[in-house]
Amino acid sequence: MADPRPIGLFDSGIGGLTVFRALGRRLPGEQILYLGDTARVPYGNKSRETVTRYTRECAHFLLRRQIKALVVACNTASALALPALLSELPVPTLGVLQPGAARACRLSASGRIGVIGTEATIRSGAYTEAIHRIRPGSEVFGVACPLFVPLAEEGWTEGEVERLVAQRYLSAFDGKGIDTLVLGCTHYPLLKGVIREALGPAIQLVDSAEAAAEEAARLLEAHELLDDRERGGEPHFYVTDSSQRFAEVGSRFLGTSMGRLEQVDITGES
Ligand code: DGL
C-alpha cells in the first residue's frame, strides 16, 4: 500500500541538498520536506548541548507537518544529538553517520579508514565508535576540515584555493595507509574532485549522502511506508533565514529552481 505522506529531511543549512538529491534519485515517488537551519549554520563548531537543542527544534518542526519518516542529513547533528533524541521521535528516523560508517567498513580492504568532518563531528568520536562497532580491529583516523564548508557555500569547489586547502588538510593522512575515506559532512561531496586529486586514485571515497539514501529506502520498506507513485509531490523547502541566498546557491547546486521555498521560525519547537 502506498503511503503518500512526505519524508522530512533537515540540515544545518544548504549542504543537506546533497542528501536531498541522493534521496530524490533513489526514491523518486516520495515527497520531501526540506528544512535548512540557515539562521544558525554552522553547527560544526558548536557544543553538544546547543546542537541537540537545534536538532530537537528542527525535528519537531517537521513532525508537525505529518511526516512519515525523518532523515537527519547533517553529520554534526547525527553525531552529537541523534542518539539522545531517538527515543522521543515517533517516526522511523535515520542519520547519515551509521550508513556512511557501514559503507566504509564494507569497502575497505585493509580496515584503515579515514574520516573527514566538522570539528564537532571529529571531536565527538562518533564515526570512530560506529566503525569500531561494525568492524572491530579497524584503525580510524579523523581529520576536521572546517574550511570546506564555507568554500562549498560560496560555490568554490574546483579552483586553486580549494585545491590548496584540500592538500593541506588531507596531508594529515600521509603515511597512515588508509584505503577508504568517509566524507563525513554534508558539504564535502561538493568538493569530491579536489579531494580525490589530493589523495590520489587509490583511496575510495564514501559519500554518506548516497549511503543514507540507500538506508532510507530500506527503512521505509521495512516499515511499509514506501510511496510507489512514479513521481512524488513537489518538494517544499523551509529555511530559518532569508531565502534568497538559499534559492541562488540551491538552484545552482540542484540545477533546477527551488520551487516552494518559505522562511520560518522554529525556535521553541518541541
Ligand atoms: N551540515 C554540517 C555537517 O554535515 C556541516 C555544516 C555545519 O557545520 O553546520 O556536519
Side-chain angles (χ1 to χ4, degrees):
M1 209 183 67
D3 188 329
R5 287 176 299 160
I7 299 172
L9 186 154
F10 75 85
D11 180 41
S12 52
I14 205 155
L17 289 177
T18 54
V19 183
F20 170 86
R21 189 169 64 175
L23 199 60
R25 282 190 186 142
R26 180 64 186 79
L27 296 169
E30 304 291 341
Q31 183 188 19
I32 303 172
L33 306 187
Y34 182 102
L35 169 63
D37 194 4
T38 47
R40 304 190 288 198
V41 69
Y43 285 9
N45 56 8
K46 300 200 167 63
S47 67
R48 185 182 295 273
E49 291 68 31
T50 301
V51 173
T52 303
R53 177 157 52 85
Y54 291 174
T55 302
R56 177 179 282 119
E57 289 174 347
C58 289
H60 285 276
F61 171 82
L62 288 167
L63 283 166
R64 282 205 296 114
R65 280 156 184 80
Q66 275 71 51
I67 55 170
K68 60 182 172 185
L70 179 67
V71 178
V72 180
C74 177
N75 282 262
T76 305
S78 300
L80 273 70
L82 197 54
L85 293 181
L86 269 180
S87 62
E88 68 182 68
L89 301 174
V91 297
T93 299
L94 175 79
V96 280
L97 192 144
Q98 197 61 35
R103 182 174 282 197
C105 291
R106 264 199 315 279
L107 287 179
S108 173
S110 65
R112 299 178 73 81
I113 297 171
V115 179
I116 53 176
T118 64
E119 270 161 6
T121 297
I122 297 303
R123 205 178 331 112
S124 75
Y127 266 107
T128 307
E129 268 170 45
I131 291 170
H132 282 157
R133 250 196 322 274
I134 301 165
R135 187 164 169 174
S138 53
E139 287 252 38
V140 185
F141 304 92
V143 174
C145 304
L147 288 176
F148 282 168
V149 169
L151 285 172
E153 291 276 336
E154 203 56 42
W156 288 25
T157 53
E158 22 193 62
E160 199 50 35
V161 173
E162 322 50 308
R163 210 164 281 135
L164 287 173
V165 173
Q167 276 163 9
R168 172 99 182 244
Y169 279 141
L170 301 175
S171 65
F173 292 114
D174 288 353
K176 299 287 191 295
I178 61 165
D179 65 0
T180 305
L181 179 75
V182 182
L183 307 180
C185 173
T186 45
H187 292 57
Y188 298 179
L190 299 171
L191 289 139
K192 239 185 211 169
V194 291
I195 293 172
R196 189 175 293 291
E197 212 179 292
L199 287 174
I203 296 176
Q204 319 177 71
L205 303 184
V206 174
D207 182 339
S208 24
E210 279 164 21
E214 271 310 315
E215 191 54 36
R218 265 196 294 276
L219 186 73
L220 289 183
E221 193 171 4
H223 287 83
E224 298 184 356
L225 291 171
L226 279 173
D227 191 340
D228 52 12
R229 281 177 294 177
E230 228 164 73
R231 220 171 144 240
E234 282 301 300
H236 197 136
F237 298 93
Y238 301 96
V239 285
T240 55
D241 196 7
S242 149
S243 54
Q244 195 188 335
R245 186 171 162 72
F246 187 88
E248 277 165 22
V249 183
S251 47
R252 195 170 352 125
F253 173 67
L254 291 176
T256 152
S257 85
M258 305 290 295
R260 283 193 292 171
L261 175 57
E262 197 181 324
Q263 185 177 344
V264 293
D265 181 4
I266 63 168
T267 41
E269 292 276 354
S270 61

